[in-house]
Amino acid sequence: MLVHTPSVRRIIALTSIASAVLLSAGCSRGTTTAEAEAAESFREPVTITNCERTATFDAPPQRIISMNDHVTETLIQMGVGDRIVGMGYGEQPDPLSETAEQFRAIPSLAKEYPTSEQVLDLEPDLIVGGMRSAFDDKNGLGRDSLEAAGIATFLFSEYCGQGFPDISLLENDFAQLGAILGVEESATALTEGIVAGLDTIRACLDAAGAQPVRTFFYDSGEAEPLSVGGVGIGNLIGDYAGIENITAEGPKPYFATSWEVVGERQPEAIVVLDYGSISAADKIAFLRNHPVMATTPAVRNDRFVVVPLDDFFESSRMVASADTIARALHPEAFAG
Amino acid sequence: MSTVTETASLTQSPTGSDSRRSDRRRSLATVLTLLTAALALAVATAVSLGTITIPLGDVWAIVAYRISPVPLDAIWGDRWWSATREAIVFESRLPRALTAAVVGAALAVAGAVAQAVTRNPLADPYLLGVSSGAGFGVATVTVLGFGAGTLGIFTLPFAAFAGALLPLAATIVVSLRAHSVTAIVLVGVALSMVFSSLVTFVLLVLGDVHQLGTVMQWLAGGFGDANWRSLIAPTLVLIVTGTAIMLCSRRLNLLLAGDDGATALGMNVPRFRVLILLAVSLLAAAAVAVSGTIGFVGLLVPHLAAYLVGRNAARLVPTAGLLGAVALVLADILARSLSNTTELPIGVITGLVGGPIFIAMLWRRYSQDSR
């Protein structure tokens, strides 16, 4: 009798979580179709290749764990928020407004990533990560071990290791997610919305004849600056926002360079990534007081743009950061 | 200390007979002159090289314009370089090279004295837990979220220095009861482990991924954020502590002969030892506060210096100091110039270059011994 108690308790717990999710799902839009589609198996198995790993799905996953907040938002936007049984980075205070209601209803497993026990206990059939660190071997959450346990995995390709060269990477990821989740239409609509948003910004800049502004991306670092290289999302957002990344030779999305190099290239503007314990105001104060940076046109003309790092991920949020940067550095293009 | 000790140490100097002594004096002068020249050359090289290429003529014209008491603009004409390049040379490279020299000297002196006073060839400046205490200070301040706003650019150095004093304070408390050097050093080892664990705890349990990066980069050590103002404190500590140590060099030599002998000559050995270990840790804390934990220099350089001039403290300490300064300036040059877009952590250089030199030196020494 005693032996059975824990599992009985767990079943009750799981049932209540499930009903809570169902209840909340009932109030949100677009879920009825998703559920109807999801209930049955695919007519033919769906095979995808994600980060050079091939996986085949016979039916759309029904118990998803989302490891990062931008993944959770994306899945909600695709209309499968009701299938998320738990999320990492669940304390995002400011989820995208159209996802906020459902976001807050999803059980938050941890401030950052859940433990492997938490994950296994939820008996998920798919785990979606938005950063490489989501699938950390040391946490027992490596993709090999999860897949060996019968849990499918999907990593947003921004972190597959080849960077984020152009928007087709997002288009491909979201199309694959739409296919395996059985929500192709809403996935396509989401992608089209993102691409249209980015193209609109670019069109406004082109129409105004805006010239690229030579810009330094400042992530962090005092001894040496951590900046944005030529292969990451920052560089791509910069392309849409009418700026020229002065450290585009960087071989990684984020990489350490030197103050000498940055100063010598005389940036005209600085994009400050805002996150963590050092506030953007403190970062700007540091740059103003830095002897080399103080001599650059960007600091002398006080051209700083603050962008939340949350908007620097493969999701609809990248439209927001491109928009922020473009409007700050090319106000003339958006005046009309 | 009593005057008896002073006279005793004057007459009982371990340097031996008068003739040998003057020979060694001369060779010490030669060694120190050569090392000073090497240091000047190394600093000049460090100012000339960097991740961007500035013509040598420009570099030295910038330095000349800035340090000349007479305004050179009137004599040589207007400055023909950009304000950025001037800042790179005079506000970044020069204070950086000088900071590397001061930190190298402080670590090497601290290491030499630590090895002498504990009679342990493996002792280094961090033996009382200074580096992990400093790491704890930096990690705590970073995770608690005091950015550059609170104390400006001195936030992390101040946190490091304050953190370094924590294990030191604990050691002093212990040393009030336990007079054995072994006990004190073991307490230092234990405290190092405690503070290392606390660093890990603070970072992994309380902090987030980005803070981890900040602290890891700090722990790896380096001079990228050196400037004129951050150079002041370690320079003062080096001058004051270094002078004090030189004044104690005779007593340090007595200790080399053994505790019993020193006690017989009237020295309060336990008290002296604790005071000296405090001086060592103060030097290390001042160095760590500006540069992070730079390993190997404090361990290796004293051995190289002893190889050159012997173990007599009056000879060893200045030699080790200059040699440490040269070594760290050179290591920093390598760290800055091996890659042309970024800088390597200096700890990588001191370990990769210092390790083989150390082994080669041991090889020569022990293969001679076995013959």
Side-chain angles (χ1 to χ4, degrees):
Chain A
M1 190 58 207
L2 269 175
V3 181
H4 290 285
T5 322
S7 63
V8 170
R9 233 186 244 155
R10 208 186 71 183
I11 289 165
I12 293 168
L14 283 178
T15 323
S16 61
I17 289 171
S19 53
V21 170
L22 283 177
L23 274 179
S24 71
C27 331
S28 58
R29 62 202 164 86
T31 47
T32 34
T33 45
E35 260 176 85
E37 278 179 90
E40 49 208 71
S41 301
F42 293 122
R43 245 171 271 150
E44 278 180 30
V46 176
T47 299
I48 60 162
T49 303
N50 167 248
C51 291
E52 297 175 353
R53 304 172 75 96
T54 305
T56 300
F57 294 80
D58 297 321
Q62 297 300 315
R63 298 183 58 79
I64 305 170
I65 290 180
S66 160
M67 298 295 267
N68 298 91
D69 39 6
H70 67 287
V71 172
T72 308
E73 290 173 342
T74 302
L75 294 175
I76 294 173
Q77 287 170 324
M78 288 181 183
V80 297
D82 57 325
R83 294 191 221 162
I84 304 177
V85 294
M87 60 178 169
Y89 279 89
E91 292 174 21
Q92 161 70 263
D94 198 19
L96 290 174
S97 58
E98 77 261 29
T99 67
E101 191 187 336
Q102 251 191 314
F103 193 103
R104 297 206 176 96
I106 295 168
S108 166
L109 302 176
K111 183 167 164 263
E112 291 175 7
Y113 293 117
T115 64
S116 62
E117 289 193 5
Q118 282 179 293
V119 166
L120 295 176
D121 190 52
L122 283 171
E123 296 179 357
D125 48 12
L126 173 66
I127 300 179
V128 188
M131 292 171 78
R132 174 150 296 248
S133 51
F135 296 110
D136 184 5
D137 286 320
K138 270 198 171 174
N139 285 342
L141 291 170
R143 295 184 74 175
D144 287 331
S145 52
L146 288 171
E147 282 166 20
I151 305 168
T153 58
F154 188 93
L155 175 61
F156 278 22
S157 302
E158 180 187 358
Y159 282 90
C160 284
Q162 304 305 314
F164 197 160
D166 58 59
I167 199 66
S168 68
L169 178 139
L170 179 145
E171 291 173 324
N172 187 41
D173 272 359
F174 286 16
Q176 290 190 334
L177 275 174
I180 62 172
L181 294 168
V183 289
E184 278 104 335
E185 279 176 29
S186 52
T188 309
L190 175 61
T191 309
E192 283 170 354
I194 294 169
V195 174
L198 293 171
D199 286 345
T200 306
I201 296 166
R202 191 178 263 172
C204 287
L205 295 171
D206 289 347
Q211 291 302 308
V213 176
R214 294 170 44 73
T215 301
F216 162 54
F217 285 90
Y218 181 52
D219 177 287
S220 61
E222 298 191 354
E224 54 184 20
L226 190 65
S227 188
V228 162
V231 295
I233 188 171
N235 201 66
L236 181 61
I237 288 172
D239 281 348
Y240 283 105
I243 68 177
E244 183 194 335
N245 175 13
I246 62 160
T247 54
E249 83 284 358
K252 289 187 278 188
Y254 298 93
F255 77 112
T257 177
S258 80
W259 292 116
E260 289 194 7
V261 167
V262 174
E264 176 74 5
R265 293 181 185 172
Q266 298 284 299
E268 297 164 336
I270 299 176
V271 170
V272 175
L273 297 185
D274 188 20
Y275 65 91
S277 51
I278 302 178
S279 71
D282 282 350
K283 286 182 182 175
I284 291 173
F286 172 78
L287 291 170
R288 286 210 180 101
N289 289 322
H290 193 281
V292 173
M293 291 309 293
T295 65
T296 60
V299 174
R300 282 190 277 115
N301 301 327
D302 207 25
R303 279 183 105 184
F304 293 98
V305 188
V306 177
V307 179
L309 186 67
D310 284 342
D311 290 350
F312 258 54
F313 286 99
E314 183 189 341
S315 83
S316 67
R317 281 175 175 265
M318 59 189 289
V319 184
S321 53
D323 191 60
T324 307
I325 297 170
R327 282 173 192 273
L329 297 182
H330 300 284
E332 73 285 355
F334 299 89
Chain B
M1 292 290 145
S2 63
T3 39
V4 181
T5 323
E6 294 298 334
T7 18
S9 56
L10 277 170
T11 50
Q12 300 257 336
S13 166
T15 45
S17 70
D18 281 349
S19 60
R20 265 183 67 202
R21 201 160 158 183
S22 65
D23 271 0
R24 286 202 179 182
R25 278 263 162 83
R26 218 171 3 222
S27 79
L28 177 66
T30 316
V31 167
L32 294 186
T33 310
L34 284 176
L35 283 175
T36 308
L39 180 59
L41 195 64
V43 169
T45 312
V47 174
S48 309
L49 297 177
T51 40
I52 65 159
T53 309
I54 301 177
L56 269 188
D58 290 11
V59 168
W60 293 101
I62 290 169
V63 174
Y65 270 65
R66 290 296 288 263
I67 62 173
S68 162
V70 197
L72 287 179
D73 304 70
I75 307 166
W76 292 352
D78 287 340
R79 304 176 183 211
W80 60 89
W81 50 83
S82 70
T84 301
R85 288 194 164 183
E86 181 164 329
I88 288 173
V89 170
F90 199 78
E91 306 290 342
S92 173
R93 288 184 185 175
L94 187 55
R96 177 176 182 154
L98 295 178
T99 305
V102 168
V103 167
L107 290 177
V109 167
V113 175
Q115 287 166 10
V117 83
T118 60
R119 284 200 294 271
N120 177 353
L122 289 178
D124 78 359
Y126 308 129
L127 89 166
L128 295 187
V130 165
S131 66
S132 38
F136 173 67
V138 167
T140 308
V141 164
T142 307
V143 169
L144 289 183
F146 300 113
T150 340
L151 280 166
I153 53 165
F154 294 110
T155 310
L156 289 189
F158 184 80
F161 192 77
L165 297 184
L166 290 177
L168 209 54
T171 316
I172 294 171
V173 172
V174 172
S175 66
L176 294 177
R177 294 199 69 118
H179 296 303
S180 124
V181 68
T182 314
I184 293 171
V185 170
L186 285 177
V187 167
V189 171
L191 288 170
S192 289
M193 290 175 182
V194 169
F195 281 97
S196 301
S197 309
L198 286 175
V199 170
T200 312
F201 174 79
V202 167
L203 282 181
L204 294 185
V205 181
L206 306 178
D208 64 34
V209 184
H210 304 296
Q211 294 165 339
L212 189 70
T214 308
V215 177
M216 289 310 290
Q217 209 176 27
W218 187 88
L219 288 177
F223 299 104
D225 45 1
N227 57 63
W228 288 110
R229 281 180 299 166
S230 68
L231 179 59
I232 300 170
T235 309
L236 289 179
V237 172
L238 176 65
I239 292 172
V240 172
T241 319
T243 311
I245 288 170
M246 285 306 288
L247 292 176
C248 297
S249 60
R250 294 184 185 284
R251 272 173 250 165
L252 279 170
N253 288 337
L254 286 183
L255 271 189
L256 284 178
D259 284 12
D260 292 344
T263 310
L265 288 166
M267 252 178 83
N268 183 342
V269 172
R271 195 181 69 179
F272 178 71
R273 190 167 266 148
V274 168
L275 286 176
I276 288 290
L277 284 178
L278 289 182
V280 164
S281 298
L282 192 66
L283 275 174
V288 163
V290 290
S291 66
T293 308
I294 295 174
F296 231 73
V297 174
L299 173 68
L300 161 72
V301 170
H303 288 288
L304 283 175
Y307 186 73
L308 288 176
V309 297
R311 288 263 168 212
N312 177 345
R315 304 162 55 82
L316 178 63
V317 169
T319 309
L322 278 172
L323 198 57
V326 175
L328 218 42
V329 174
L330 291 180
D332 191 45
I333 293 173
L334 279 181
R336 288 190 297 145
S337 42
L338 283 184
S339 154
N340 56 5
T341 52
T342 183
E343 295 169 1
L344 294 173
I346 193 163
V348 173
I349 308 289
T350 55
L352 283 181
V353 177
I357 294 179
F358 196 46
I359 292 168
M361 191 193 73
L362 289 177
W363 179 269
R364 281 194 59 176
R365 184 163 148 198
Y366 285 99
S367 55
Q368 277 166 7
D369 282 359
S370 60
R371 259 180 236 142

